[in-house]
Amino acid sequence: MSTKVHRFAAVDLGASSGRVIVGEVAPERLALHEAHRFPNQATRVLGTLHWNVLSLYQGVLEGLKAAAAHTAGNGLTSIGIDTWAVDYGLLAADGTLLANPVHYRDTRTTGAAEKVAKALSPQALYAATGIQHLPFNTIFQLISAQGTPALTAAHRLLLIPDLISYWLTGEPGTELTNASTTQLIDPRTRDWATPVAQALGIDLTLFPPLRHPGDPAGTLRHEVLAETGLTTPVPVTAVGSHDTASAVVGVPATTPDFAYIATGTWSLAGLELEAPVLTEASRAANFTNELGVDGTVRYLRNIMGLWMLQECVRAWEAQGTTATRGTRATTATHTDLTALLQEAAQATPLRSVVDAGDPAFIAPHHMPDRIADACRRTGQPVPRTPAETTRCVLDSLALAHRRAIDDATRLSGRPVRTVHIVGGGVHNALLCQLTADACGLPVIAGPAEAAALGNVLVQARAAGAITGGLPELRSLLHSTQPLRQYEPTGDHSAWDRAAARLGDAQVTRATTGLGDEEEPCA
C-alpha cells in the first residue's frame, strides 16, 4: 500500500448539474475539492424530452482541465464516472451517437408496461430481476423504442456513465451496478437475465461486456489529454457508476446493522444485503434489488425526495412569492431557505401529510397546488403558507423514510439500529431530525458528498492507494468526514397516527426515483 497522496477525479453527473471533484487519498487522509460545476438542462425537441449529453461531455472535459490545474502538475491517478440510472445513448457501427438520449421524465414509455405484461407477468419479471416497477426503467424504454429508426440502426447501447467513459477512452463497456437498474440483470447470477430479454425481443448484444467496480475502463485518448492538459497515461476506472451505488459505499457505517437514506432530488431508503429478496411480498412492497459494490445488494425503496420542495420553491419564485411569508413582494431566493426551514420547524407538526410515492408528484410545475389537492382528497387541513407546505413535505418524507426502513427490516429479516443519511439532504437539519423522530432511531447525517467519496474510494482501492473491503473504506470515511448525530425526540405515537391517515398507500403505490442525483435546493 502506497503512503503518498494520490489524486482521483470523480465525475458526478446529476439531473440538474454535473461536477468534477478531485479526491486526495492516503492511508489516513481523504479530502475533496470541487474543480468544476456545470448545468444539466433537458431540452424538448419535437415533443420528446432529451438530455443535452454533448453539453454534459463538454462540461466533463472542462472539469478535467480544472482538475489538472488543481493538481499543479502532480497529475491524476485515475478518473471514475457516476450518473443517474436507466437512460442510454445509441451508437452506430462507427461509434457515432444516433440521437441525444431521451430523458426518463419523457412520456414515451406510456403503455410499455402493459406490452411487457403480455409476454411476462409483473410477478415473473420481479422474480427474475428483483427490480421494482418504475415506468421509466430501461426495459420499458427499449420496448417503447422497438421499431424506431434509431434503435433499428443501433450497433451499441451505452448507459449514460458508460457513454461518457467511451468518449473519453474509446473503449465500450457496461458497468454492473448501473446495468442492474435496466431490469435486464439477474441479481442472483449478477449477469444478464437472458430469458427476460428473449421473451421481450430485446437484443442483449447491443450492450458491451459487463464491467465491475474497480475494473479498468481504458485510458484517456490523446485528443482528450491535449484538450484537458493532463499527462499520459491517465486511466479510467469503473466505479459504482449508478450514483446511489457510489453513495452507499460512501456511508460511514461502523457496524452492519444500519439503514441508509441517500437523499437529494430523490430519497433512496434501504439496507445493504448479501443476497436479493425476490419474494412476492417484496414486489408488492415496491422494493428493488439493485446491485452494489463488492457483491452487495442495495435493497431499497425509491421515494420522491426533496424534488417536491425544489418544485415548490420554483413555483413560489415564478409567482414572485416570498418563501417565508407568502406575500407578493421579493422573489424567493436561496438565502430565503434558511428562514423558510426555520418557520417550517415552528409550524404545527404532522398537521397534514401526503404520500411521497404518489405519481401525482412526479411531473414538474404546480407542486404546491398538487400537495394542497392531496391534502383535500384525504380530508386533511390544506397548507396555507409556504412554511406550512414545507413542513408538510418534510413530515411526509420522514414518514416515508420510516415506512421504507420498517418494511425493509421486516422483508429481509435484517435488524436496524442506526440510520445513516447521506447526500444533499444532510444540509437539511429539519429533515434529519424529523427522520430520527419518525424512525425512533438515531440518525447520523453525512457525508453530503457520499457519491463522490464512494467513487473516489473505489478508484483508490483499485490503484492500491488504500486496501480492504467496505468496512475498511467506511472506517476511513468515519475518521475523516464531518458527521452529525440526531437523537429521536417527541411523541413517537404521533407518527403512528399520521401513518394511519395514509393507510397503506406508501407501501402499495408505485414509487419513483433514480438516484442520489443532486444536492437539494434546501
Side-chain angles (χ1 to χ4, degrees):
M1 180 175 66
S2 173
T3 58
K4 76 171 187 177
V5 175
H6 291 257
R7 293 170 177 84
F8 303 89
V11 176
D12 183 24
L13 303 183
S16 61
S17 73
R19 60 259 181 87
V20 175
I21 294 177
V22 176
E24 297 185 349
V25 182
E28 296 181 4
R29 175 175 169 78
L30 179 58
L32 299 183
H33 166 78
E34 184 177 292
H36 182 57
R37 180 180 290 268
F38 46 95
N40 181 11
Q41 186 170 357
T43 303
R44 193 172 296 279
V45 180
L46 299 177
T48 300
L49 191 63
H50 292 275
W51 296 106
N52 190 347
V53 72
L54 296 178
S55 177
L56 281 178
Y57 180 64
Q58 183 60 40
V60 170
L61 293 177
E62 292 170 0
L64 292 178
K65 184 175 183 179
H70 174 72
T71 61
N74 293 313
L76 294 173
T77 301
S78 79
I79 298 166
I81 303 159
D82 68 80
T83 80
W84 67 93
V86 306
D87 292 335
Y88 58 85
L90 297 172
L91 303 183
D94 64 355
T96 303
L97 182 67
L98 292 170
N100 269 324
V102 178
H103 195 296
Y104 62 82
R105 292 192 189 277
D106 186 73
T107 58
R108 68 172 176 158
T109 58
T110 301
E114 289 76 11
K115 292 181 182 179
V116 169
K118 291 179 181 178
L120 208 59
S121 71
Q123 293 83 357
L125 184 59
Y126 188 86
T129 67
I131 299 298
Q132 73 178 112
H133 171 78
L134 299 170
F136 40 66
N137 283 348
T138 314
I139 196 170
F140 300 128
Q141 294 194 36
L142 290 173
I143 291 298
S144 300
Q146 284 178 339
T148 62
L151 186 57
T152 301
H155 176 73
R156 277 279 182 250
L157 184 155
L158 295 178
L159 298 169
I160 298 299
D162 300 320
L163 179 61
I164 301 298
S165 178
Y166 172 69
W167 282 339
L168 291 174
T169 67
E171 297 189 21
T174 306
E175 193 279 316
L176 181 62
T177 68
N178 208 22
S180 73
T181 71
T182 64
Q183 214 163 1
L184 289 167
I185 291 284
D186 185 330
R188 296 159 296 191
T189 65
R190 303 178 79 86
D191 204 345
W192 296 109
T194 302
V196 170
Q198 290 175 339
L200 300 176
I202 293 173
D203 182 7
L204 290 178
T205 64
L206 287 171
F207 292 89
L210 289 170
R211 292 171 175 154
H212 296 79
D215 285 350
T219 57
L220 294 187
R221 296 181 295 114
H222 291 302
E223 54 264 44
V224 174
L225 293 171
E227 185 163 352
T228 61
L230 291 165
T231 56
T232 189
V234 180
V236 174
T237 301
V239 297
S241 71
H242 183 200
D243 51 13
T244 307
S246 280
V248 173
V249 174
V251 172
T254 57
T255 60
D257 51 357
F258 70 94
Y260 58 83
I261 307 172
T263 58
T265 302
W266 310 99
S267 281
L268 298 103
L271 311 177
E272 184 175 74
L273 302 179
E274 293 76 33
V277 181
L278 303 176
T279 62
E280 177 59 16
S282 179
R283 184 194 71 85
N286 289 313
F287 273 84
T288 199
N289 294 268
E290 298 170 357
L291 299 184
V293 173
D294 287 2
T296 59
V297 173
R298 290 174 285 126
Y299 186 60
L300 60 89
R301 178 182 291 154
N302 294 280
I303 299 164
M304 199 70 61
L306 282 160
W307 158 259
M308 296 171 69
L309 183 54
Q310 290 171 331
E311 284 298 297
C312 285
V313 170
R314 275 193 274 268
W316 294 324
E317 289 176 344
Q319 295 166 2
T321 302
T322 56
T324 55
R325 297 296 178 188
T327 59
R328 292 276 182 174
T330 305
T331 301
T333 67
H334 284 279
T335 58
D336 296 315
L337 290 171
T338 299
L340 174 62
L341 292 172
Q342 288 174 345
E343 287 202 19
Q346 299 303 314
T348 303
L350 298 169
R351 178 173 180 265
S352 303
V353 290
V354 298
D355 174 9
D358 192 331
F361 303 126
I362 295 176
H365 309 306
H366 312 296
M367 188 64 73
D369 293 337
R370 281 182 275 150
I371 290 170
D373 289 343
C375 292
R376 289 190 193 96
R377 287 197 306 269
T378 51
Q380 299 179 90
V382 174
R384 299 160 297 186
T385 66
E388 288 187 354
T389 300
T390 298
R391 183 59 185 254
C392 175
V393 168
L394 298 182
D395 281 344
S396 300
L397 289 179
L399 186 62
H401 294 165
R402 179 183 96 146
R403 299 197 69 158
I405 292 169
D406 285 351
D407 289 342
T409 300
R410 172 176 55 85
L411 292 164
S412 69
R414 170 71 64 84
V416 170
R417 292 181 175 83
T418 305
V419 177
H420 284 266
I421 291 182
V422 298
V426 165
H427 299 302
N428 192 317
L430 180 55
L431 177 61
C432 295
Q433 184 61 61
L434 291 175
T435 298
D437 296 344
C439 295
L441 292 169
V443 163
I444 298 175
E449 298 289 358
L453 286 162
N455 180 324
V456 165
L457 285 169
V458 170
Q459 290 187 69
R461 186 175 62 177
I466 54 176
T467 61
L470 289 175
E472 287 73 27
L473 301 188
R474 288 168 175 156
S475 177
L476 180 59
L477 283 166
H478 194 270
S479 64
T480 60
Q481 302 306 303
L483 307 173
R484 180 177 177 182
Q485 185 157 328
Y486 297 83
E487 295 294 337
T489 61
D491 179 7
H492 193 64
S493 65
W495 293 94
D496 297 334
R497 294 191 294 272
R501 278 184 250 155
L502 295 180
D504 293 331
Q506 286 176 304
V507 174
T508 59
R509 191 188 299 276
T511 55
T512 60
L514 291 172
D516 177 39
E517 297 169 345
E518 296 293 323
E519 311 82 9
C521 67

